[in-house]
Amino acid sequence: TGVLYKSDNKFDCLMVLDGTVLNVKKDELLGNVVEIEHNTNLRTIYYGIDNISVKVGDVLNQGEVIGTSGKSNVTNASNGMLFEVYYNGKLINPEEFYNMDVSTLN
């Protein structure tokens, strides 16, 4: 459903675009979850985050750190992050999202 990033070492998890934190929660399977709303049509979700440095309602800029890589029961990585993108309520491939003109996703 998304892209799994993993490494032998901890890494910072960064905001892909400006946005507002909608939800921060713990999931037994997915680990710590941070959901960001970028506009009414575009949301991103980061799974398996440790050391979360944001809270619901925070308005953040692209490139800001939201936490560090962590562990979930899905990723099988001690330093991983699963990343999903939702556009108009439907999952889109993050690899395609990276190449899109985000100004058209309003």
Side-chain angles (χ1 to χ4, degrees), residues 36-103:
I36 308 292
E37 181 179 66
H38 303 285
N39 61 47
T40 56
N41 299 320
L42 184 64
R43 292 183 182 184
T44 54
I45 305 179
Y46 304 77
Y47 299 95
I49 305 296
D50 280 346
N51 305 309
I52 296 173
S53 59
V54 300
K55 64 185 182 313
V56 172
D58 284 353
V59 177
L60 304 169
N61 296 312
Q62 182 178 21
E64 283 191 63
V65 175
I66 63 169
T68 59
S69 56
K71 182 174 179 154
S72 76
N73 291 328
V74 172
T75 63
N76 271 342
S78 57
N79 294 301
M81 177 192 75
L82 177 63
F83 178 67
E84 290 182 334
V85 179
Y86 287 84
Y87 179 60
N88 287 328
K90 296 181 181 166
L91 274 168
I92 63 173
N93 184 338
E95 295 292 335
E96 294 172 12
F97 168 73
Y98 296 142
N99 296 316
M100 292 177 167
D101 177 359
V102 293
S103 66

